[in-house]
Amino acid sequence: MMEKMIFGRYIPVESVIHRMDPRAKLIIVFLFIFVVFLANNPMTYGLLGVFTFIALLLSNIKISFIIKGLRFLFWLILFTFLLHIFFTKEGELLVSWGFIKIYEGGLIQGIYISLRFFFLILFTSLLTLTTTPIEITDGLESLLNPLKKLKFPVHELALMLSIALRFIPTLMDETEKIMKAQQARGVDFSEGSLTTRAKAIIPLLIPLFINAFKRADELATAMEARGYRGGEGRTKYRLLKWDLRDTLALLILIALSVTLILLRN
Amino acid sequence: MKKLGVKAFVAIGMLSAIAYVLMLLNFPLPMFPTWLKIDFSDVPALVGAIIMGPVAGILIELIKNILDVISTGSETGVPVGHIANFTTGLLFVLPTYYAYKKVQSKKGVITGLTVATIITTLGMSVLNYFVFFPMYSIFMGFEVPKLMVVIAVAPFNLIKCIMISIVFYVLYSKMQDRIAKMRQAF
């Protein structure tokens, strides 16, 4: 569980996609959610598939690893597929076997919708696989910057996010330690009725809260002693750099969208 | 309402981290499908709201969900589940806070939690039916038998809210003096 917390799903390998600016990745993933819906015939779905798989290959992450992470979704996709096959009654009747009737429309719909879902998940998971949570936070802060004009506390939100990210491993450690201490005294966190479980969590929560507030106090004092005074005029340790490859990636996505619009029915 | 200072921001960050860790310690309920899981991640948001005000509660719910999206991504590509979780959190935390604001004692907490449980269960049923299930259908091309699922999910939400209420109530009664002191400090 520890590993999972600290790095999320990030896989530290060298690749063009890892080196991309997190802002570019965020924009592209966000736009892709809509681009997926442009496909509606074999040509467009094929193109979308090629695009997704090229992106996967460029990320240098083993395909088998990604597929392993999708095992749960595989069933969901299969279920959706079967649902469409059996319950969409459009087009020609292809198979009639007892009460099972498969129509052409249903088969095509099933395939399309499963593919769309599959591409969407593969592509969006690339973001968390190739970008560390802290990079995503920096990217979000920079992208949301215009919202400052509307009094939205962008800097503060990013600050809270990075503080949380910094302390998740510490708190995980602490949680584990307290849980083990409780278990040594005979508390069982994984068994028992719901009320027993609810009760078992309280001796865990109290020290966590008290320590968190103590730490918050210390950290806030330390920040103020070092002259922290909000986002205005602050210099940064981690700088984001928008490169040619980021512009290029964005242009490729735009080109893909235009082609999809031209090719769709 | 007071403006939140540096100390409050740091504390919100810490409470969000606790909420995130608690979210990972989730478990399914017997008799319910395994994707409906119970966790106590709303408790830090309640603590934050009562000590630092409603904005803190909202921020903790928001940051907890952002943390989960940016570290593990969303299972369905589009974070519909996270948006639903955030909404559930708000429906639960805000009524509790406002009831507590009126009566700052155990009585206020009990009233708040009871009202919040009812609001969350009913509100989430309505929102699931009109907002979240249709959203799932759009992104996953997956027609949910809406009414049936709403009827199945409502008791789950009710049990979840009751469990969180019990935990928060016990926690509050043990930490009452400390909470009162901390309210002064922020």
Side-chain angles (χ1 to χ4, degrees):
Chain A
M1 192 150 74
M2 270 312 276
E3 292 288 284
K4 200 184 152 208
M5 318 304 60
I6 300 171
F7 304 106
R9 282 201 309 171
Y10 176 69
I11 299 174
V13 288
E14 231 338 89
S15 85
V16 190
I17 300 208
H18 282 74
R19 264 178 279 137
M20 269 173 74
D21 190 311
R23 286 171 294 186
K25 287 192 255 191
L26 279 164
I27 297 173
I28 289 172
V29 165
F30 181 73
L31 291 178
F32 190 78
I33 293 171
F34 301 98
V35 172
V36 167
F37 284 89
L38 289 175
N40 66 354
N41 57 20
M43 267 295 266
T44 45
Y45 271 103
L47 199 63
L48 210 56
V50 170
F51 177 78
T52 311
F53 281 101
I54 289 178
L56 278 184
L57 287 178
L58 285 177
S59 75
N60 233 346
I61 292 168
K62 279 199 202 110
I63 305 262
S64 60
F65 181 86
I66 300 174
I67 300 289
K68 221 164 51 187
L70 294 178
R71 223 181 281 147
F72 161 76
L73 280 164
F74 176 74
W75 293 109
L76 203 66
I77 292 174
L78 191 73
F79 182 64
T80 317
F81 178 65
L82 293 177
L83 216 66
H84 276 278
I85 278 195
F86 294 133
F87 294 105
T88 308
K89 295 185 170 29
E90 276 166 38
E92 254 175 83
L93 187 66
L94 293 180
V95 183
S96 178
W97 190 58
F99 61 94
I100 297 172
K101 288 190 169 62
I102 296 176
Y103 292 85
E104 197 191 345
L107 185 67
I108 292 173
Q109 273 247 301
I111 293 173
Y112 281 174
I113 285 169
S114 313
L115 277 181
R116 185 210 288 161
F117 191 37
F118 186 59
F119 293 153
L120 185 67
I121 290 161
L122 277 184
F123 200 81
T124 48
S125 62
L126 263 187
L127 176 70
T128 44
L129 286 168
T130 64
T131 325
T132 55
I134 196 76
E135 278 177 330
I136 302 181
T137 307
D138 289 342
L140 275 177
E141 179 180 6
S142 166
L143 283 178
L144 293 178
N145 233 350
L147 288 181
K148 262 188 194 159
K149 292 217 171 70
L150 303 170
K151 299 262 161 135
F152 187 78
V154 179
H155 168 75
E156 284 74 12
L157 191 67
L159 174 79
M160 290 184 271
L161 268 168
S162 35
I163 289 175
L165 282 169
R166 158 66 184 80
F167 281 97
I168 285 169
T170 317
L171 286 166
M172 278 303 301
D173 257 350
E174 213 170 87
T175 312
E176 242 179 66
K177 218 183 271 171
I178 301 170
M179 276 173 98
K180 277 190 185 138
Q182 301 286 347
Q183 276 162 352
R185 290 164 177 78
V187 176
D188 195 342
F189 287 100
S190 55
E191 301 260 310
S193 69
L194 293 180
T195 28
T196 333
R197 273 187 189 215
K199 272 188 201 145
I201 198 107
I202 290 161
L204 179 75
L205 286 178
I206 292 178
L208 273 182
F209 282 132
I210 291 174
N211 282 348
F213 277 106
K214 213 191 283 166
R215 276 208 196 92
D217 222 21
E218 287 165 9
L219 183 57
T221 313
M223 280 167 72
E224 274 171 339
R226 284 162 180 75
Y228 174 81
R229 53 186 196 302
E232 284 313 309
R234 183 191 155 189
T235 52
K236 296 222 160 145
Y237 176 59
R238 293 179 305 270
L239 288 174
L240 297 175
K241 196 162 156 271
W242 187 280
D243 255 327
L244 184 64
R245 60 169 164 260
D246 301 306
T247 318
L248 222 57
L250 213 57
L251 286 177
I252 291 171
L253 186 77
I254 294 169
L256 174 80
S257 323
V258 174
T259 325
L260 287 179
I261 292 171
L262 290 176
L263 286 176
R264 78 198 294 256
N265 300 352
Chain B
M1 199 188 62
K2 274 186 301 178
K3 232 177 151 251
L4 298 173
V6 177
K7 197 173 149 192
F9 287 135
V10 179
I12 292 169
M14 298 278 181
L15 288 175
S16 311
I18 298 183
Y20 176 71
V21 172
L22 288 176
M23 191 147 78
L24 299 166
L25 296 173
N26 55 11
F27 54 89
L29 269 184
M31 316 261 290
F32 282 96
T34 47
W35 43 270
L36 286 174
K37 284 194 174 120
I38 284 199
D39 62 68
F40 294 103
S41 64
D42 294 316
V43 177
L46 283 168
V47 172
I50 278 186
I51 294 176
M52 295 176 280
V55 179
I58 298 171
L59 282 171
I60 293 168
E61 291 286 353
L62 179 69
I63 295 169
K64 168 190 90 179
N65 280 300
I66 296 180
L67 284 173
D68 199 46
V69 177
I70 64 178
S71 60
T72 42
S74 170
E75 271 170 351
T76 48
V78 183
V80 181
H82 291 96
I83 298 170
N85 181 304
F86 175 64
T87 322
T88 318
L90 290 195
L91 286 180
F92 194 77
V93 171
L94 294 180
T96 315
Y97 168 75
Y98 284 108
Y100 178 76
K101 210 178 139 198
K102 284 245 147 61
V103 187
Q104 292 182 13
S105 65
K106 281 188 190 175
K107 217 187 211 164
V109 172
I110 293 183
T111 324
L113 291 170
T114 315
V115 175
T117 301
I118 297 166
I119 291 180
T120 311
T121 311
L122 295 181
M124 277 319 282
S125 299
V126 174
L127 285 173
N128 274 338
Y129 190 84
F130 289 108
V131 183
F132 297 120
F133 291 155
M135 263 164 106
Y136 270 119
S137 308
I138 292 171
F139 290 114
M140 296 157 51
F142 181 103
E143 274 308 318
V144 198
K146 282 193 288 189
L147 199 61
M148 213 179 79
V149 181
V150 166
I151 292 167
V153 172
F156 168 80
N157 273 332
L158 183 67
I159 297 175
K160 181 176 159 180
C161 290
I162 292 173
M163 283 185 74
I164 293 171
S165 299
I166 295 172
V167 169
F168 183 69
Y169 176 71
V170 177
L171 192 80
Y172 177 79
S173 40
K174 292 201 181 194
M175 292 178 71
Q176 208 170 3
D177 299 337
R178 203 179 270 270
I179 285 177
K181 222 184 284 163
M182 281 199 267
R183 276 173 66 90
Q184 304 294 316
F186 282 96

